[in-house]
Amino acid sequence: MSRRAGPVGVLALQGGFEAHERLLRPLGAEVRQVRMPSDLDGLAALVLPGGESTTMMLGIEREGLAAPLAEFAASGRPVLATCAGAIILDDEHLGLIDLHCERNAYGGQIHSFEADLKFDGAGDDPFRGVFIRAPRFTRLGDDVVVLAEHDSAPVAVRERNIFAMSFHPELTADDRIHRRFIEMNLVNNVTDIDRKKAA
Ligand code: GLN
């Protein structure tokens, strides 16, 4: 995986991108809103927020972002996709992660719920998962690793550099998932730069 310093992009066509920004900034990340292909230049990592996947796909098509997003994912830089963000990566949409999402699988808005999750790699404390019109991951490819489950169904997964979650880690004050995500990239670089400066 390539490790480069640079801003973290948040796809800002529609949906809950600001909630991700609010969690990322205090972690020391420079955040850039992504609305067009050139906004992806030089990013270290990318977040695809929750929202409404049909609207988000229309925006991606309108802005010519499908191919640049595929290139970004293929570059090995980390991508964190939450809820609608995960849906747009699936085999019926951009096809950037080998899984299928069943939209609104837990019911509509009134069936939104929260649940404590054991998140692989985030320590022993449970992570509070907020599920809002959440999808269910109904097919996982062989290279997809499950990071968290709810009711024996996967709710957080990873395939290489692509992280997909059916819940909203950005809607709690718990920054462990975002911290891990940017540590995959930025912090290592920042540390390297600091080390060089100090030498
Ligand atoms: N149900 C929405 C969709 O299908 C996703 C909901 C969300 O992102 N919270 O796009």
Side-chain angles (χ1 to χ4, degrees):
M1 182 176 302
S2 62
R3 292 191 181 279
R4 296 176 231 191
V8 178
V10 181
L11 187 68
L13 296 174
Q14 189 271 337
F17 50 91
E18 284 171 343
H20 282 285
E21 292 180 42
R22 271 198 296 278
L23 265 192
L24 287 165
R25 287 215 170 84
L27 292 172
E30 184 195 328
V31 182
R32 183 196 298 163
Q33 295 187 349
V34 172
R35 294 200 170 84
M36 58 177 96
S38 59
D39 294 333
L40 293 166
D41 294 347
L43 291 183
L46 179 65
V47 176
L48 307 176
E52 214 287 316
S53 51
T54 307
T55 314
M56 230 180 270
M57 279 308 295
L58 287 172
I60 286 171
E61 277 153 27
R62 188 187 62 230
E63 300 301 328
L65 269 163
L69 287 172
E71 247 170 64
F72 189 94
S75 74
R77 285 170 283 177
V79 176
L80 171 64
T82 62
C83 205
I87 295 170
I88 65 173
L89 292 181
D90 88 346
D91 55 4
E92 269 192 2
H93 297 87
L94 295 172
L96 301 183
I97 186 166
D98 188 13
L99 57 75
H100 182 71
C101 289
E102 182 190 340
R103 292 177 64 186
N104 303 314
Y106 298 92
Q109 189 83 29
I110 56 159
H111 299 114
S112 296
F113 62 97
E114 295 188 10
D116 279 339
L117 307 171
K118 165 124 190 50
F119 197 97
D120 189 23
D124 289 334
D125 289 343
F127 193 94
R128 192 76 179 153
V130 179
F131 295 79
I132 303 171
R133 288 174 291 122
R136 197 188 286 270
F137 302 144
T138 53
R139 183 192 66 76
L140 297 186
D142 290 343
D143 295 334
V144 177
V145 179
V146 176
L147 301 174
E149 292 185 333
H150 173 64
D151 273 352
S152 310
V155 294
V157 299
R158 179 174 74 81
E159 184 178 18
R160 293 184 299 276
N161 53 314
I162 316 287
F163 293 77
M165 287 158 213
S166 58
F167 59 97
H168 290 273
E170 74 282 14
L171 292 184
T172 63
D174 190 340
D175 62 12
R176 279 178 292 165
I177 290 176
H178 287 75
R179 187 183 291 274
R180 269 194 81 205
F181 177 67
I182 65 168
E183 275 174 1
M184 286 180 64
N185 202 300
L186 299 179
V187 172
N188 291 332
N189 273 285
V190 169
T191 311
D192 283 344
I193 292 163
D194 289 347
R195 234 182 264 130
K196 274 182 210 128
K197 269 195 209 140

